[in-house]
Amino acid sequence: MLTRRMFHTRLVAALAAGTLPFATGARAAAPATDDLWLNRLTFGASPAARAEIAELGREAWLEQQLTLRPEDDTALADRLARARLRIAYDAGEDDIGRWEARDELRPLSFLSAEPEAIVPLLEWQPGRAMEYSERMRPAQEVIAAALIRAVHAEAQLREMVTQFWHDHFNVNSEKDHTTAAPFALYDRSLRAHALGNFRSLLGEVAAAPAMLYYLNNADSRASPANENFARELLELHTLGAGNYLNDRFSDWREVPGATEGLAAGYLDLDVYEVARAFTGWSVGDGRWLAEGEEAPRTGRLHYVARWHDPYQKRVLGREFPPNRGPLADGEEVLDILARHPGTARFVCEKLARRFLSDDPPAGLVQRMAETFLAQTEAPDQIARVIRVLVLSPEFAAPPSKLRRPFEFLAAIYRATDAEVTASENGFHWQLGRAGWRQHSYGPPTGHPDRIGAWTGASTLNRMVDLAISGFEDWFGAAAADLARPVGDAATVGDFAAQHADTLAPGQGEGIAADLARAFGIDPSAPLDAISPEDRRGLGQSAVAFAALTPEFLLR
């Protein structure tokens, strides 16, 4: 009754006619406040989430979300334990040995593995020959788990903030095996500290093997130091490009605050000095260090004293004495940056941009930054900043953020009570066609977070594909019983309207009417007049139409 070709043609025609919100610049009407919170602070409103926030009240629900720990979610832990991801490759060999062919579904064992377990994936030693996908396996497991967590996690706000930090402290897990092997450890660390203290989080990031490899600091040593991590630490992780003052000042003494020991911004000279401070921060991966000396095989940060530049330094106007103890220079850099007013403003503006609007109100950002600075020692510093954002009057503004592709897909699954079934990571490839590379975005900037970055024709066409195909067997991501009535629907029209209302409350009757016109359906016909297969097609079409309304696309 309802072919995919007909449906795609109809939606593309609507896009060409400029009737969809991303073609016209339309904005969704403000939803009920509960849904506004759920759409901004979770991966999408679901029947269970709506019931929970209605029972608890918004502020109590927020407090619960801010305090839920990953280890408290036993239902999610059970899902992750049951999940299986295929690994398949042919037999082969390299210069250290042979490996047998494999085609099997394996548990996501690296999600909870100890750091030592990744070291064999980093080494090429006789007797440890393996096909390259084995070395990339931990990253693939995290990608698979990402969709499960987004759809099913109870601690939805923590998952949303964890995704934010993955973009803020971006590591391309698929760069090569050195970033892939330790990536599960990195993901675990970001999740654990997502709502905690920013200085603690920053320290975890700087010491993470995935980051040390990604930005080349694992090999950085004196004369000359590698500047990659230092530059991104200043430009992307803390002070932000707006505080790069090299075009305004040629001497460090000219920068406001520098002669008092805390410069307002940074120069290229500060980048060089920060790079020197982090020399010797490497990885315990068994690497050769000197004649008769190898790094330990811990899979953790390993400080190589012989690689460190021990001489005096000056960072943001603060003098560092020479010959300090292990890690001391780098730790002091992190202390300075985590407590800097420029960092507070930069990070808080990015949080407000992610959860509220592309151009958040300056007054709100200032209040968030004041809390950030006042709570620099608090173990829940980030949670306190988010509380200021969510409880502000500005947070009631109408939706204006476009769901990015991963959020869009997860929100469809949450609204329909779908069960994530992915065992091939095929959804990762499908999202890549829309410009979203979950945990594998190439540039260190992370995915862009302004609406204009996601409104190109290619991305929008792929979003249409996601809406249409997300429940198809070949898509292989999630399953939902879309042939089952959501409520007590007696007619075909009621059935379609109720399914559409799960995504776009209040829009169901209009969507049912659109479907009736588009496909020649009699909306007053008894529901049992059509087959279960046709009911499933109708439910799927209603969901897809609803997913492409302003009420669902915008959050």
Side-chain angles (χ1 to χ4, degrees):
M1 181 177 67
L2 300 171
T3 69
R4 194 170 163 274
R5 180 181 295 276
M6 290 169 61
F7 190 51
H8 197 199
T9 300
R10 180 68 57 170
L11 289 177
V12 171
L15 176 61
T19 59
L20 295 181
F22 36 66
T24 63
R27 291 293 181 265
T33 307
D34 285 358
D35 264 23
L36 188 72
W37 278 37
L38 291 173
N39 289 336
R40 285 179 176 163
L41 302 176
T42 77
F43 276 98
S46 68
R50 287 187 176 112
E52 182 179 48
I53 198 170
E55 178 184 353
L56 293 175
R58 288 188 292 274
E59 291 194 28
W61 176 86
L62 175 63
E63 292 307 311
Q64 176 179 277
Q65 286 290 313
L66 288 172
T67 54
L68 279 171
R69 300 175 303 170
E71 58 268 28
D72 295 334
D73 195 340
T74 56
L76 177 64
D78 288 343
R79 274 194 172 91
L80 292 170
R82 294 194 305 270
R84 297 294 184 270
L85 180 65
R86 184 175 302 281
I87 186 166
Y89 51 83
D90 295 331
E93 64 180 319
D94 59 19
D95 56 358
I96 61 171
R98 293 183 52 82
W99 55 83
E100 301 299 322
R102 292 284 184 272
D103 186 352
E104 58 196 35
L105 291 170
R106 287 189 198 160
L108 309 183
S109 57
F110 282 103
L111 298 185
S112 57
E114 292 300 315
E116 294 85 349
I118 71 162
V119 177
L121 305 182
L122 298 167
E123 296 180 311
W124 266 260
Q125 293 185 356
R128 290 188 177 176
M130 65 182 77
E131 206 272 342
Y132 197 67
S133 61
E134 294 281 8
R135 302 183 188 276
M136 302 293 289
R137 174 74 182 189
Q140 297 304 307
E141 291 187 7
V142 176
I143 291 167
L147 187 61
I148 298 173
R149 288 179 166 129
V151 175
H152 296 298
E154 182 183 6
Q156 279 285 301
L157 181 53
R158 182 178 291 272
E159 289 302 318
M160 288 285 285
V161 178
T162 300
Q163 182 69 66
F164 169 83
W165 292 126
H166 267 295
D167 277 327
H168 185 79
F169 298 114
N170 185 55
V171 167
N172 176 5
S173 71
E174 295 183 324
K175 175 185 176 183
D176 58 31
H177 68 287
T178 64
T179 53
F183 194 75
L185 306 173
Y186 188 60
D187 176 67
R188 194 190 313 169
S189 180
L190 292 188
R191 181 168 290 101
H193 293 272
L195 295 167
N197 180 269
F198 182 76
R199 170 61 180 87
S200 298
L201 172 61
L202 190 63
E204 290 288 319
V205 168
M211 181 63 78
L212 289 165
Y213 287 126
Y214 177 57
L215 293 179
N216 309 113
N217 209 76
D219 300 309
S220 184
R221 59 191 80 188
S223 301
N226 188 296
E227 298 169 20
N228 286 359
F229 174 70
R231 190 166 295 277
E232 307 310 355
L233 175 66
L234 293 167
E235 180 178 333
L236 301 178
H237 301 167
T238 57
L239 296 177
N243 286 305
Y244 176 57
L245 306 179
N246 218 67
D247 60 333
R248 290 177 245 177
F249 304 104
S250 58
D251 187 285
W252 71 271
R253 299 173 188 83
E254 299 172 355
V255 180
T259 55
E260 287 78 46
L262 188 63
Y266 67 99
L267 309 176
D268 281 340
L269 176 63
D270 294 293
V271 176
Y272 309 149
E273 296 291 88
V274 169
R276 292 177 60 218
F278 283 97
T279 49
W281 288 49
S282 189
V283 181
D285 55 8
R287 68 177 60 206
W288 183 90
L289 298 175
E291 187 66 33
E293 181 184 354
E294 293 181 343
R297 289 171 170 78
T298 61
R300 295 176 168 88
L301 169 71
H302 175 62
Y303 179 71
V304 184
R306 71 173 77 248
W307 290 0
H308 183 63
D309 184 331
Y311 301 109
Q312 66 270 20
K313 303 169 184 70
R314 182 188 300 111
V315 176
L316 298 178
R318 185 174 301 183
E319 302 286 347
F320 288 22
N323 301 312
R324 306 169 86 190
L327 306 174
D329 287 343
E331 294 286 0
E332 185 165 355
V333 168
L334 299 178
D335 288 342
I336 295 169
L337 294 175
R339 294 165 174 82
H340 197 288
T343 297
R345 289 190 298 271
F346 178 64
V347 172
C348 290
E349 184 175 19
K350 285 191 69 174
L351 280 166
R353 180 174 299 120
R354 173 85 292 264
F355 289 98
L356 180 57
S357 63
D358 277 4
D359 297 298
L364 173 60
V365 173
Q366 180 61 29
R367 297 197 304 275
M368 292 169 66
E370 288 169 358
T371 299
F372 185 102
L373 292 172
Q375 303 297 331
T376 53
E377 305 304 320
D380 61 343
Q381 176 192 14
I382 300 165
R384 294 186 187 209
V385 170
I386 290 174
R387 189 181 290 113
V388 171
L389 168 65
V390 177
L391 297 180
S392 70
E394 294 91 335
F395 199 72
S400 63
K401 296 289 293 185
L402 184 68
R403 293 189 198 270
R404 299 181 297 182
F406 180 81
E407 301 147 17
F408 178 71
L409 184 64
I412 291 173
Y413 292 154
R414 281 180 58 77
T416 55
D417 271 341
E419 184 74 24
V420 175
T421 58
S423 60
E424 306 278 355
N425 272 3
F427 76 92
H428 182 48
W429 182 82
Q430 297 292 342
L431 290 170
R433 297 175 69 217
W436 184 268
R437 299 288 305 175
Q438 182 69 13
H439 301 322
S440 55
Y441 191 74
T445 54
H447 292 94
D449 196 20
R450 289 185 178 274
I451 193 170
W454 301 100
T455 54
S458 177
T459 295
L460 295 177
N461 277 321
R462 299 292 78 75
M463 296 276 273
V464 170
D465 287 346
L466 293 174
I468 296 168
S469 306
F471 293 101
E472 297 285 358
D473 290 341
W474 61 263
F475 194 89
D481 186 2
L482 297 180
R484 178 179 58 83
V486 176
D488 56 354
T491 68
V492 169
D494 288 343
F495 173 86
Q498 289 172 3
H499 272 291
D501 272 332
T502 61
L503 278 76
Q507 303 299 309
E509 288 188 11
I511 290 169
D514 288 343
L515 286 170
R517 286 191 298 272
F519 301 115
I521 302 169
D522 178 4
S524 64
L527 183 58
D528 59 10
I530 61 175
S531 69
E533 181 180 356
D534 285 345
R535 282 202 301 272
R536 183 181 186 279
L538 179 58
Q540 185 174 344
S541 296
V543 165
F545 261 61
L548 291 158
T549 61
E551 288 71 22
F552 189 80
L553 282 162
L554 297 167
R555 47 173 283 278

